[in-house]
Amino acid sequence: METMSTVTGLKGSADVLFLMLGAVMVFAMHAGFAFLEVGTVRKKNQVNAFVKILTDWAVSTFVYFLVGFPISYGISFFKPAEELLGKTQGYDLVHFFFLLCFAACIPAIISGGIAERAKFWPQVTAGAIFAGLSYPLFESLIWGQNASLLQGIFKKIGGAEFHDYAGSVVVHSIGGWIALPAVIILGPRMGRYIRGKSHPIPVSNIPFLALGSWILAIGWFGFNVMSAGNLEKISGLVAVNSLMAMVGGILAALVAGKNDPGFIHNGALAGLIAVCAGSDIMHPLASFAVGVIASIIFVYGFHYEQEVLKIDDVLGVWPLHGVIGSWGGIAAGIFGQKALGGMGGVSFISQLAGTVAAVAFAVISSVVVYGLLSKIFGIRLEEEDEYHGADLSIHKIGAYPEDHVR
């Protein structure tokens, strides 16, 4: 009995360590979000980008701990510390930490779309609502305590439950589609479109943009692989599929984007976003194809969004996370089939239905939240503040303080 108890204790400790390492890797991805945004926005908005991402992380942690995680999984932390630790070495606590990193991606994704002209506190408020209420509600219907409700419908109409192993749809598609109404309600940045003509605003720092992409790509292996939840379920297939999708995205962007460094570094992310849903059931070559298609979607989707629809989505988060996240959900229903070398057990109809449901949920949530915030508080900076930049108007300091010393 003592030996069994020791083995059980070691397994519990190993699972806690496994998930904690994954949580730290995904936490590090938020530095990637920050540098990707800082490298893309103009110098007068770089401090704001850093502060937004960090503040959103802190607020998301608090609201997800108090409200979001209990909504998603029915687990409350309002109990003595001894009970929180329990016999599992605090597995529920580190599970919260890991899944918090997913929830906090929602405001981080939105941040890139609304950059350079959004008011600070209304956006922090919106991020709190999405991380604490809106996202956890949908999470509960796919992964959490209420999954039997919606998943039962998908299984009935498609023959299988909606499959999203690591969040192509639940995290990325939701985040990107939430961002779209926010960007539209805010309107384009000053000077972006003049009398219907596009005037692209150049990025400020390619090395920072590239650094953001690298940090995100490395952390993504925690995002995908550690979604196993415990050590005994770890999958080498997930790791290699993530790698192959990322590489497919890079190479496709290299060609379709004509050597543009912005497209190449975002191409890596496009592949990784798309593969999340089916990374545990697809063949590596299928994952490569999924990444290639995702990157092509981003290159041409970004141009269509910016130049045809004239939507000033600064980092292109709608095509990158919203559209490609949706592609990832649908792709799992195609390339997860045994006929294409996949593991099977997935339905194209269910994948399509789940993806459409997520899009509808995200858009409605965003329109309601940003519509109310816009009417009650206003969500856009005053024209003069936007002209001088969010750094000085909101934080009273620029990214390079020496430049202002006389």
Side-chain angles (χ1 to χ4, degrees):
M1 290 296 291
E2 186 177 343
T3 301
M4 287 293 293
S5 179
T6 302
V7 171
T8 301
L10 285 173
K11 181 188 180 302
S13 297
D15 288 342
V16 168
L17 178 61
F18 172 77
L19 205 53
M20 189 276 289
L21 293 174
V24 171
M25 289 179 72
V26 186
F27 175 34
M29 290 174 68
H30 289 265
F33 280 119
F35 276 99
L36 194 70
E37 182 173 336
V38 168
T40 304
V41 301
R42 288 166 288 185
K43 288 195 294 184
K44 64 183 181 179
N45 295 300
Q46 290 180 332
V47 170
N48 181 245
F50 276 129
V51 175
K52 269 194 305 177
I53 298 292
L54 190 59
T55 302
D56 283 337
W57 166 264
V59 171
S60 295
T61 300
F62 190 65
V63 298
Y64 194 69
F65 183 86
L66 293 179
V67 182
F69 192 74
I71 288 175
S72 295
Y73 300 98
I75 298 172
S76 173
F77 297 119
F78 289 97
K79 58 185 71 171
E82 185 177 4
E83 290 185 36
L84 294 178
L85 187 63
K87 296 180 180 180
T88 61
Q89 304 302 311
Y91 180 84
D92 284 341
L93 290 169
V94 79
H95 194 209
F96 149 76
F97 184 11
F98 182 71
L99 291 170
L100 154 70
C101 298
F102 285 47
C105 285
I106 304 301
I109 289 168
I110 298 167
S111 177
I114 64 171
E116 300 203 281
R117 75 274 204 201
K119 287 184 177 179
F120 185 77
W121 287 112
Q123 175 52 29
V124 170
T125 302
I129 294 170
F130 293 129
L133 294 173
S134 181
Y135 168 81
L137 178 58
F138 192 79
E139 181 184 24
S140 77
L141 294 170
I142 303 299
W143 293 336
Q145 64 173 334
N146 300 314
S148 60
L149 301 176
L150 194 55
Q151 291 287 23
I153 295 173
F154 295 143
K155 190 170 183 178
K156 186 175 182 179
I157 65 174
E161 293 185 348
F162 176 69
H163 186 89
D164 190 2
Y165 184 72
S168 287
V169 174
V170 176
V171 179
H172 296 284
S173 181
I174 288 284
W177 282 96
I178 285 176
L180 179 61
V183 172
I184 293 173
I185 291 171
L186 271 172
R189 290 167 290 175
M190 294 171 58
R192 179 63 182 89
Y193 302 104
I194 300 175
R195 290 188 290 276
K197 186 176 181 181
S198 174
H199 294 268
I201 297 172
V203 303
S204 63
N205 194 311
I206 294 294
F208 275 2
L209 186 156
L211 177 62
S213 175
W214 273 103
I215 295 171
L216 282 164
I218 293 168
W220 223 291
F221 289 86
F223 196 98
N224 285 2
V225 176
M226 269 68 164
S227 285
N230 54 59
L231 196 56
E232 66 183 17
K233 293 181 180 179
I234 191 170
S235 168
L237 182 64
V238 173
V240 173
N241 279 343
S242 301
L243 177 66
M244 294 298 285
M246 178 184 73
V247 169
I250 293 168
L251 294 178
L254 181 68
V255 176
K258 300 177 182 178
N259 283 333
D260 182 281
F263 283 133
I264 293 167
H265 286 93
N266 277 290
L269 307 182
L272 286 162
I273 289 166
V275 81
C276 289
S279 58
D280 63 325
I281 58 172
M282 294 191 296
H283 189 279
L285 290 177
S287 296
F288 181 86
V290 167
V292 167
I293 295 169
S295 196
I296 292 172
I297 290 172
F298 178 67
V299 171
Y300 292 102
F302 183 81
H303 175 80
Y304 185 79
E305 177 191 40
Q306 302 281 329
E307 304 303 325
V308 179
L309 298 179
K310 291 184 171 54
I311 297 174
D312 188 19
D313 174 2
V314 181
L315 269 67
V317 299
W318 174 50
L320 182 62
H321 294 273
V323 178
I324 292 172
S326 298
W327 157 240
I330 295 168
I334 300 171
F335 293 98
Q337 303 290 341
K338 286 190 175 182
L340 293 175
M343 300 285 287
V346 67
S347 160
F348 174 77
I349 298 298
S350 296
Q351 293 304 115
L352 180 61
T355 301
V356 170
V359 171
F361 179 86
V363 170
I364 292 170
S365 298
S366 182
V367 169
V368 170
V369 172
Y370 282 108
L372 287 173
L373 287 173
S374 180
K375 289 185 178 298
I376 297 171
F377 302 108
I379 59 174
R380 179 155 183 161
L381 287 172
E382 298 297 329
E383 189 171 310
E384 185 176 353
D385 290 337
E386 183 180 343
Y387 175 79
H388 290 295
D391 292 359
L392 294 179
S393 62
I394 296 174
H395 309 288
K396 312 306 179 187
I397 191 169
Y400 307 92
E402 286 182 306
D403 293 348
H404 303 285
V405 175
R406 294 289 186 264

